[in-house]
Amino acid sequence: MIPTVGLMWKLMTAALAVLASMVVPAQNAAAAERFWELQLNLCNSGIAGCYQQGRSVPEAGDLIVRLRPDLVTLNEICRNDLPDRLVPSMVTAWPGDRIHQFFAPALRKDTGTPVKCTNGQDYGNAVIGRVPAAAYQGVKTWTGRYTSQDTGNEQRTYACVYAIGHHLGCTTHLSASSEPVALAQCRSLLFDVIPQIRAAEGVTGRTVVGGDFNLEYDTSDPENAQNCVPPGHVRKGDGSVQHVVFSNDLAFVSTQKYSMRYTDHPGFLVRLTKP
């Protein structure tokens, strides 16, 4: 039987409806932009027993190129590790994007001057991130020393970078000798410092904090890492002392650990998406 014009029109309409239903999920999937955070402690001061003659830095650079994270938080590095290998690795991973970097040294209790690596460079923490060139509006940076400190000479600090209109990223390396002090430092950063930055800059979301908190997730411990997670935020940990805390406008996808030969901490990747 030859289809009538009316029947052909109904068949065509039904086919278009099926195609439309197939296209919509693809458009929705494209709207969720990936935002991956890589947390690294490179043990590169030259002092700690885990030091491996600087080989953790090129190892980390290779991992950055391989994984292409949007944000990298770094602990226990020397200042020149950034321009020597880590920032160029981010540039290689994201050619054409704008790459930001910020290094903040730990400070000596006795002098207030930066702690030094054995090579004479400042020792501390850093944030590296990327912003699509068309979205780049500049960056603002913050660092500070926590009020609560342990009895050692190394005073713990934080480093924060606001890529204007895009994301706020922070890192820190908390007290290794006192869990109560580490928790107080963590709460100071998450409950006080970051809300102050967000209020001052009008940041409404896309906030990620990665670091070596020297705290574990343990609900039986009063110094549980979860106790420094403010409302509206989510924490993911590596099963030990590295954690990533992010604002809940970012959607969690998955985590993965990467074995590192030349440092005593794994690379810890947290895969997120953002609107």
Side-chain angles (χ1 to χ4, degrees), residues 13-249:
T13 302
L16 288 171
V18 171
L19 286 172
S21 68
M22 293 171 64
V23 169
V24 168
Q27 290 174 334
N28 290 340
E33 179 186 351
R34 60 98 103 179
F35 193 87
W36 292 7
E37 144 70 352
L38 179 62
Q39 160 60 27
L40 297 166
N41 181 324
L42 298 188
C43 190
N44 201 40
S45 68
I47 299 170
C50 51
Y51 176 66
Q52 295 289 328
Q53 291 71 50
R55 288 178 288 184
S56 64
V57 176
E59 182 180 28
D62 291 344
L63 191 62
I64 289 170
V65 173
R66 173 183 162 197
L67 298 180
R68 300 179 68 242
D70 300 87
L71 185 71
V72 183
T73 49
L74 295 145
N75 309 129
E76 294 195 49
I77 67 167
C78 306
R79 183 182 291 273
N80 287 1
D81 295 339
L82 291 176
D84 288 352
R85 186 60 183 264
L86 300 173
V87 171
S89 295
M90 197 70 164
V91 171
T92 298
W94 294 102
D97 284 2
R98 296 295 297 267
I99 306 302
H100 64 73
Q101 59 174 298
F102 179 53
F103 175 89
L107 300 174
R108 292 173 58 100
K109 182 179 181 180
D110 54 358
T111 63
T113 57
V115 174
K116 299 292 184 179
C117 294
T118 54
N119 61 13
Q121 298 170 20
D122 291 352
Y123 162 84
N125 308 300
V127 176
I128 309 173
R130 73 101 189 178
V131 178
Y136 185 75
Q137 302 177 54
V139 298
K140 294 186 178 181
T141 61
W142 292 264
T143 185
R145 173 174 21 189
Y146 296 111
T147 300
S148 181
Q149 299 283 347
D150 57 40
T151 58
N153 197 36
E154 179 186 337
Q155 302 274 281
R156 306 292 173 139
T157 63
Y158 59 85
C160 290
V161 179
Y162 177 44
I164 298 171
H166 197 265
H167 66 266
L168 172 62
C170 298
T171 191
T172 192
H173 183 202
L174 304 178
S175 172
S177 63
S178 170
E179 284 194 347
V181 169
L183 181 59
Q185 293 170 344
C186 190
R187 290 182 62 85
S188 175
L189 177 61
L190 271 296
F191 282 81
D192 299 327
V193 173
I194 289 175
Q196 290 168 11
I197 294 172
R198 286 166 59 102
E201 298 300 325
V203 181
T204 57
R206 298 180 186 175
T207 299
V208 179
V209 182
D212 181 344
F213 291 2
N214 278 310
L215 298 168
E216 296 178 340
Y217 175 73
D218 181 355
T219 56
S220 66
D221 188 342
E223 284 80 41
N224 180 7
Q226 191 66 29
N227 291 340
C228 72
V229 180
H233 291 72
V234 178
R235 180 204 57 82
K236 297 295 176 181
D238 71 346
S240 184
V241 295
Q242 293 185 113
H243 302 272
V244 172
V245 178
F246 53 91
S247 54
N248 62 10
D249 60 314

Side-chain angles (χ1 to χ4, degrees), residues 2-16:
I2 299 174
T4 64
V5 172
L7 179 58
M8 290 179 67
W9 177 253
K10 289 179 180 179
L11 290 170
M12 290 173 63
T13 302
L16 288 171

